[in-house]
Amino acid sequence: MNDLKRLTILRGILKDPVVRAMADAEPDEDGKGLSESEAVFLHEVYSRGIEDTILEYVCQVLLDDENEFARQCAAGKVPSRRMTVEYADNIHTAVVATLDASERYRVDLGEMPQIFKGNPLEVAEYIADFYRANGYGRYRKHMAFRYVDGELVPVENPVRIRLKDLKDYEYEKSLILNNITGFLQGYPSLNMLLYGSKGTGKSSTIHAVLNEYYDQKLRLVQIDDGSLGKINEIRALVETIPMKWIIFVDDISMSGDDQRISQLKASLEGNIAGDFRNSIIVATSNRRHIVKETFSDRNDAVHGRDTMEEQLSLSDRFGISILFSLTDKNSYLSIVRQLAADNSIRTKTDELDALAERWALVKGGRSPRRAKQFIEFLSSCEARNIKPEF
């Protein structure tokens, strides 16, 4: 088992509790029963329910490991012959150790994944092709991340909405898709500002685009207010990760004296830190001009005009600005009817329209969000066969 402790490229798999326990497992000296280290290993196996599939489990750990071989392959590079041979040997060592553990502790192997079938060098090449097509590590498995203490932390349950779920706003969506598809294809692409009334689908459209193009290596990092000043740090980090990244700032708003204005402007226009080619910044805001402008800004500043221009110039740094306007009655009812069809709503059109209009009146206005909430409410009422009252 201790051969696992001599892994080089794949040393990271020792962080996995099962693999680590397997590497540490040593027979009891008197041979009369399980040693403590063996008991720890079996505990890890049983607690994960892999007593019938341990080889499948270990192979998945191998495939998910973030290492230099994986990173180079995902970036489209060809690792050196020496690295490839070493990687193949590491794979072989881990598989043999698992086979030995299976026999010693009478746990079942499960099915060998197809990608691991072949001699070690063939397996290394199969896996290299897999990384080139799909990315590697957490960046292959997850689509959305948050930036926490200098690291990208996966979002375990990202929004699953798709473009087909978003009704109308076809022109606005076409502008976003044109920019994103060009970005994925390697063409020059622009940072985007999506602005307009609450509930019009600005954020939902970005999440839907992410779900639509996830299989083309599109990923997203969501930035909170506290990390706005670190956007260049984040872009420098993702530049080392061979995926395409949306740096997403949702519902951005700043006051005129906010020190982050200049930092964000520098990130949008580029500076000495570098020209980041595998990331774009996308922000949403309720206002076209992100920075809140007040009469005091105009009246109290010695150079009032300069102050105003400084505040208003931030939004101008986005290459593409797209307005998501509030829906009128016809657009609102169009969205309601489409969502009703998607959800197999039985209520007749005339009654549906009347209820939807009443819902908008009670809830404070028409918007795609209001339409979605109304259909969810009505769907629940129909499922329970009760009258919709609100």
Side-chain angles (χ1 to χ4, degrees):
M1 300 305 168
N2 286 328
D3 283 348
L4 287 171
K5 295 182 179 179
R6 290 192 279 271
L7 294 174
T8 53
I9 297 172
L10 283 168
R11 194 162 190 81
I13 69 171
L14 293 174
K15 296 176 183 177
D16 178 84
V18 173
V19 177
R20 182 73 220 182
M22 184 164 63
D24 289 340
E26 295 288 351
D28 189 62
E29 290 183 358
D30 59 18
K32 294 182 179 179
L34 289 176
S35 67
E36 182 178 355
S37 62
E38 290 176 313
V40 169
F41 167 63
L42 287 175
H43 168 77
E44 295 292 346
V45 168
Y46 287 120
S47 66
R48 286 164 178 76
I50 58 171
E51 63 273 14
D52 295 327
T53 57
I54 189 169
L55 183 59
E56 291 181 42
Y57 177 89
V58 172
C59 285
Q60 192 62 55
V61 172
L62 292 168
L63 202 59
D64 291 343
D65 185 59
E66 295 175 18
N67 55 71
E68 185 59 21
F69 179 86
R71 192 192 67 79
Q72 288 191 22
C73 293
K77 299 178 182 178
V78 178
S80 68
R81 177 67 179 174
R82 176 171 179 171
M83 181 183 287
T84 302
V85 170
E86 185 84 358
Y87 181 80
D89 182 66
N90 278 203
I91 289 283
H92 180 69
T93 296
V95 169
V96 169
T98 307
L99 295 175
D100 289 346
S102 170
E103 182 176 352
R104 179 177 298 187
Y105 303 111
R106 298 179 182 177
V107 291
D108 291 336
L109 293 170
E111 180 67 25
M112 168 78 84
Q114 185 63 38
I115 198 171
F116 285 89
K117 293 180 180 179
N119 66 55
L121 277 175
E122 287 176 337
V123 170
E125 290 300 331
Y126 297 155
I127 294 176
D129 288 341
F130 177 82
Y131 289 144
R132 292 185 187 105
N134 301 286
Y136 75 107
R138 78 190 86 167
Y139 315 112
R140 174 182 66 83
K141 293 175 63 179
H142 301 278
M143 65 174 67
F145 298 81
R146 295 188 185 278
Y147 184 70
V148 181
D149 297 331
E151 288 205 26
L152 298 181
V153 177
V155 175
E156 295 296 338
N157 296 296
V159 179
R160 296 294 182 182
I161 195 166
R162 303 302 294 260
L163 285 171
K164 65 180 178 60
D165 301 323
L166 301 174
K167 309 305 181 183
D168 294 0
Y169 291 88
E170 297 304 325
Y171 174 69
E172 293 82 358
K173 287 187 289 189
S174 70
L175 294 177
I176 295 169
L177 288 173
N178 182 59
N179 192 48
I180 292 293
T181 53
F183 173 56
L184 291 172
Q185 293 164 9
Y187 295 110
S189 302
L190 298 172
N191 300 314
M192 296 188 291
L193 172 64
L194 282 50
Y195 70 98
S197 301
K198 294 180 179 179
T200 50
K202 303 180 295 296
S203 301
S204 294
T205 301
I206 297 304
H207 289 298
V209 166
L210 177 65
N211 285 312
E212 207 72 27
Y213 294 101
Y214 163 75
D215 60 355
Q216 295 185 35
K217 297 187 180 180
L218 183 64
R219 300 293 184 268
L220 179 146
V221 184
Q222 182 148 345
I223 307 301
D224 58 28
D225 283 346
S227 299
L228 267 179
K230 299 180 180 179
I231 285 184
N232 272 353
E233 293 178 26
I234 297 167
R235 298 189 84 176
L237 172 61
V238 301
E239 191 177 28
T240 67
I241 303 167
M243 315 296 274
K244 293 288 188 176
W245 294 89
I246 294 174
I247 311 298
F248 187 46
V249 188
D250 196 18
D251 198 18
I252 186 173
S253 179
M254 297 179 176
S255 58
D257 59 353
D258 198 317
Q259 297 301 310
R260 297 170 301 170
I261 294 176
S262 59
Q263 295 172 321
L264 183 53
K265 285 169 66 175
S267 299
L268 288 165
E269 231 174 54
N271 58 19
I272 197 169
D275 180 18
F276 305 110
R277 297 185 179 275
N278 74 327
S279 65
I280 59 173
I281 299 171
V282 179
T284 68
S285 174
N286 293 333
R287 295 185 301 276
R288 168 68 176 85
H289 298 299
I290 297 168
V291 181
K292 293 179 181 177
E293 181 192 358
T294 65
F295 283 109
S296 62
D297 290 330
R298 300 187 183 195
N299 298 330
D300 297 343
V302 175
H303 303 292
R305 182 177 179 81
D306 291 344
T307 301
M308 276 200 310
E309 288 182 355
E310 173 72 10
Q311 293 176 6
L312 300 179
S313 66
L314 176 57
S315 58
D316 291 335
R317 300 296 174 100
F318 289 89
I320 297 175
S321 295
I322 302 171
L323 169 63
F324 279 68
S325 58
L326 199 60
T327 50
D328 59 19
K329 178 178 179 179
N330 290 336
S331 298
Y332 169 69
L333 291 179
S334 169
I335 294 170
V336 166
R337 291 167 188 168
Q338 292 175 72
L339 292 174
D342 287 353
N343 288 271
S344 302
I345 295 296
R346 300 188 301 273
T347 302
K348 300 299 182 183
T349 301
D350 288 348
E351 184 182 357
L352 179 72
D353 290 354
L355 285 170
E357 275 290 276
R358 184 181 167 206
W359 180 272
L361 181 64
V362 170
K363 300 299 181 181
R366 304 181 185 97
S367 71
R369 181 184 296 165
R370 294 277 186 249
K372 182 175 183 293
Q373 291 169 345
F374 166 66
I375 290 300
E376 288 173 345
F377 171 78
L378 186 57
S379 178
S380 175
C381 290
E382 289 192 350
R384 292 179 293 160
N385 199 30
I386 62 175
K387 182 179 179 180
E389 295 183 349
F390 47 89

mmCIF file of all heavy atoms in Angstrom, residues 317-336:
data_model
loop_
_atom_site.group_PDB
_atom_site.id
_atom_site.type_symbol
_atom_site.label_atom_id
_atom_site.label_comp_id
_atom_site.label_asym_id
_atom_site.label_seq_id
_atom_site.Cartn_x
_atom_site.Cartn_y
_atom_site.Cartn_z
ATOM 1 N N ARG A 317 -17.310 52.407 -19.630
ATOM 2 C CA ARG A 317 -16.164 51.512 -19.849
ATOM 3 C C ARG A 317 -16.603 50.124 -20.308
ATOM 4 O O ARG A 317 -15.770 49.341 -20.755
ATOM 5 C CB ARG A 317 -15.342 51.383 -18.555
ATOM 6 C CG ARG A 317 -14.781 52.701 -18.027
ATOM 7 C CD ARG A 317 -13.776 53.313 -18.976
ATOM 8 N NE ARG A 317 -13.349 54.631 -18.527
ATOM 9 C CZ ARG A 317 -12.224 54.881 -17.880
ATOM 10 N NH1 ARG A 317 -11.412 53.885 -17.581
ATOM 11 N NH2 ARG A 317 -11.905 56.105 -17.529
ATOM 12 N N PHE A 318 -17.868 49.797 -20.129
ATOM 13 C CA PHE A 318 -18.376 48.522 -20.655
ATOM 14 C C PHE A 318 -18.564 48.663 -22.161
ATOM 15 O O PHE A 318 -19.220 49.598 -22.632
ATOM 16 C CB PHE A 318 -19.702 48.150 -19.996
ATOM 17 C CG PHE A 318 -19.583 47.745 -18.557
ATOM 18 C CD1 PHE A 318 -19.662 48.690 -17.542
ATOM 19 C CD2 PHE A 318 -19.381 46.414 -18.215
ATOM 20 C CE1 PHE A 318 -19.557 48.325 -16.210
ATOM 21 C CE2 PHE A 318 -19.269 46.048 -16.880
ATOM 22 C CZ PHE A 318 -19.356 46.990 -15.875
ATOM 23 N N GLY A 319 -18.006 47.718 -22.903
ATOM 24 C CA GLY A 319 -18.113 47.808 -24.356
ATOM 25 C C GLY A 319 -19.527 47.627 -24.865
ATOM 26 O O GLY A 319 -19.904 48.163 -25.908
ATOM 27 N N ILE A 320 -20.310 46.839 -24.142
ATOM 28 C CA ILE A 320 -21.699 46.587 -24.537
ATOM 29 C C ILE A 320 -22.602 46.889 -23.353
ATOM 30 O O ILE A 320 -22.393 46.373 -22.250
ATOM 31 C CB ILE A 320 -21.901 45.120 -24.977
ATOM 32 C CG1 ILE A 320 -21.060 44.810 -26.220
ATOM 33 C CG2 ILE A 320 -23.372 44.829 -25.255
ATOM 34 C CD1 ILE A 320 -21.113 43.354 -26.645
ATOM 35 N N SER A 321 -23.602 47.745 -23.564
ATOM 36 C CA SER A 321 -24.615 48.036 -22.544
ATOM 37 C C SER A 321 -25.978 47.658 -23.110
ATOM 38 O O SER A 321 -26.330 48.076 -24.215
ATOM 39 C CB SER A 321 -24.596 49.521 -22.160
ATOM 40 O OG SER A 321 -23.373 49.866 -21.545
ATOM 41 N N ILE A 322 -26.722 46.866 -22.356
ATOM 42 C CA ILE A 322 -27.998 46.331 -22.862
ATOM 43 C C ILE A 322 -29.106 46.662 -21.869
ATOM 44 O O ILE A 322 -29.011 46.319 -20.680
ATOM 45 C CB ILE A 322 -27.907 44.810 -23.061
ATOM 46 C CG1 ILE A 322 -26.774 44.472 -24.030
ATOM 47 C CG2 ILE A 322 -29.233 44.254 -23.585
ATOM 48 C CD1 ILE A 322 -26.468 42.998 -24.136
ATOM 49 N N LEU A 323 -30.140 47.314 -22.358
ATOM 50 C CA LEU A 323 -31.281 47.693 -21.526
ATOM 51 C C LEU A 323 -32.316 46.580 -21.497
ATOM 52 O O LEU A 323 -32.777 46.116 -22.541
ATOM 53 C CB LEU A 323 -31.928 48.979 -22.069
ATOM 54 C CG LEU A 323 -33.285 49.358 -21.459
ATOM 55 C CD1 LEU A 323 -33.147 49.639 -19.965
ATOM 56 C CD2 LEU A 323 -33.893 50.550 -22.194
ATOM 57 N N PHE A 324 -32.680 46.147 -20.286
ATOM 58 C CA PHE A 324 -33.802 45.234 -20.073
ATOM 59 C C PHE A 324 -34.949 46.078 -19.520
ATOM 60 O O PHE A 324 -35.003 46.357 -18.318
ATOM 61 C CB PHE A 324 -33.427 44.129 -19.090
ATOM 62 C CG PHE A 324 -32.650 42.993 -19.694
ATOM 63 C CD1 PHE A 324 -31.346 43.186 -20.143
ATOM 64 C CD2 PHE A 324 -33.209 41.736 -19.828
ATOM 65 C CE1 PHE A 324 -30.621 42.152 -20.705
ATOM 66 C CE2 PHE A 324 -32.497 40.688 -20.390
ATOM 67 C CZ PHE A 324 -31.200 40.897 -20.835
ATOM 68 N N SER A 325 -35.814 46.514 -20.400
ATOM 69 C CA SER A 325 -36.877 47.433 -19.994
ATOM 70 C C SER A 325 -38.018 46.667 -19.324
ATOM 71 O O SER A 325 -38.208 45.465 -19.533
ATOM 72 C CB SER A 325 -37.409 48.210 -21.200
ATOM 73 O OG SER A 325 -37.889 47.323 -22.185
ATOM 74 N N LEU A 326 -38.784 47.405 -18.514
ATOM 75 C CA LEU A 326 -39.940 46.817 -17.849
ATOM 76 C C LEU A 326 -40.992 46.438 -18.888
ATOM 77 O O LEU A 326 -41.172 47.140 -19.887
ATOM 78 C CB LEU A 326 -40.535 47.816 -16.862
ATOM 79 C CG LEU A 326 -41.444 47.248 -15.759
ATOM 80 C CD1 LEU A 326 -40.684 46.253 -14.897
ATOM 81 C CD2 LEU A 326 -41.993 48.380 -14.911
ATOM 82 N N THR A 327 -41.681 45.342 -18.672
ATOM 83 C CA THR A 327 -42.660 44.860 -19.650
ATOM 84 C C THR A 327 -43.946 45.685 -19.600
ATOM 85 O O THR A 327 -44.405 46.071 -18.532
ATOM 86 C CB THR A 327 -43.015 43.386 -19.365
ATOM 87 O OG1 THR A 327 -43.342 43.254 -17.976
ATOM 88 C CG2 THR A 327 -41.865 42.470 -19.679
ATOM 89 N N ASP A 328 -44.512 45.932 -20.787
ATOM 90 C CA ASP A 328 -45.853 46.518 -20.833
ATOM 91 C C ASP A 328 -46.881 45.394 -20.691
ATOM 92 O O ASP A 328 -46.525 44.217 -20.545
ATOM 93 C CB ASP A 328 -46.064 47.324 -22.122
ATOM 94 C CG ASP A 328 -45.886 46.484 -23.382
ATOM 95 O OD1 ASP A 328 -45.960 45.230 -23.304
ATOM 96 O OD2 ASP A 328 -45.668 47.063 -24.463
ATOM 97 N N LYS A 329 -48.152 45.748 -20.764
ATOM 98 C CA LYS A 329 -49.210 44.756 -20.534
ATOM 99 C C LYS A 329 -49.137 43.616 -21.536
ATOM 100 O O LYS A 329 -49.206 42.433 -21.153
ATOM 101 C CB LYS A 329 -50.580 45.431 -20.596
ATOM 102 C CG LYS A 329 -51.736 44.465 -20.411
ATOM 103 C CD LYS A 329 -53.071 45.188 -20.438
ATOM 104 C CE LYS A 329 -54.232 44.211 -20.285
ATOM 105 N NZ LYS A 329 -55.544 44.906 -20.281
ATOM 106 N N ASN A 330 -48.995 43.931 -22.813
ATOM 107 C CA ASN A 330 -48.984 42.889 -23.840
ATOM 108 C C ASN A 330 -47.791 41.947 -23.672
ATOM 109 O O ASN A 330 -47.924 40.725 -23.797
ATOM 110 C CB ASN A 330 -48.980 43.515 -25.228
ATOM 111 C CG ASN A 330 -50.296 44.175 -25.579
ATOM 112 O OD1 ASN A 330 -51.343 43.814 -25.025
ATOM 113 N ND2 ASN A 330 -50.267 45.132 -26.490
ATOM 114 N N SER A 331 -46.612 42.520 -23.394
ATOM 115 C CA SER A 331 -45.420 41.690 -23.215
ATOM 116 C C SER A 331 -45.548 40.808 -21.971
ATOM 117 O O SER A 331 -45.179 39.629 -21.989
ATOM 118 C CB SER A 331 -44.179 42.580 -23.102
ATOM 119 O OG SER A 331 -43.981 43.325 -24.271
ATOM 120 N N TYR A 332 -46.072 41.386 -20.924
ATOM 121 C CA TYR A 332 -46.257 40.647 -19.673
ATOM 122 C C TYR A 332 -47.189 39.459 -19.880
ATOM 123 O O TYR A 332 -46.886 38.321 -19.487
ATOM 124 C CB TYR A 332 -46.808 41.593 -18.614
ATOM 125 C CG TYR A 332 -47.288 40.937 -17.343
ATOM 126 C CD1 TYR A 332 -46.402 40.338 -16.459
ATOM 127 C CD2 TYR A 332 -48.652 40.932 -17.010
ATOM 128 C CE1 TYR A 332 -46.847 39.750 -15.277
ATOM 129 C CE2 TYR A 332 -49.107 40.355 -15.837
ATOM 130 C CZ TYR A 332 -48.201 39.763 -14.979
ATOM 131 O OH TYR A 332 -48.643 39.184 -13.811
ATOM 132 N N LEU A 333 -48.320 39.704 -20.546
ATOM 133 C CA LEU A 333 -49.273 38.615 -20.771
ATOM 134 C C LEU A 333 -48.722 37.584 -21.747
ATOM 135 O O LEU A 333 -49.018 36.388 -21.635
ATOM 136 C CB LEU A 333 -50.595 39.181 -21.280
ATOM 137 C CG LEU A 333 -51.393 40.010 -20.264
ATOM 138 C CD1 LEU A 333 -52.687 40.540 -20.896
ATOM 139 C CD2 LEU A 333 -51.709 39.189 -19.011
ATOM 140 N N SER A 334 -47.904 38.019 -22.691
ATOM 141 C CA SER A 334 -47.247 37.070 -23.602
ATOM 142 C C SER A 334 -46.357 36.110 -22.819
ATOM 143 O O SER A 334 -46.369 34.890 -23.050
ATOM 144 C CB SER A 334 -46.420 37.828 -24.639
ATOM 145 O OG SER A 334 -45.588 36.941 -25.362
ATOM 146 N N ILE A 335 -45.593 36.635 -21.884
ATOM 147 C CA ILE A 335 -44.714 35.805 -21.061
ATOM 148 C C ILE A 335 -45.543 34.860 -20.201
ATOM 149 O O ILE A 335 -45.229 33.664 -20.071
ATOM 150 C CB ILE A 335 -43.802 36.691 -20.195
ATOM 151 C CG1 ILE A 335 -42.829 37.472 -21.078
ATOM 152 C CG2 ILE A 335 -43.033 35.844 -19.181
ATOM 153 C CD1 ILE A 335 -42.046 38.543 -20.347
ATOM 154 N N VAL A 336 -46.617 35.372 -19.616
ATOM 155 C CA VAL A 336 -47.499 34.543 -18.784
ATOM 156 C C VAL A 336 -48.039 33.369 -19.587
ATOM 157 O O VAL A 336 -48.021 32.218 -19.131
ATOM 158 C CB VAL A 336 -48.653 35.388 -18.212
ATOM 159 C CG1 VAL A 336 -49.745 34.480 -17.634
ATOM 160 C CG2 VAL A 336 -48.147 36.332 -17.134
#
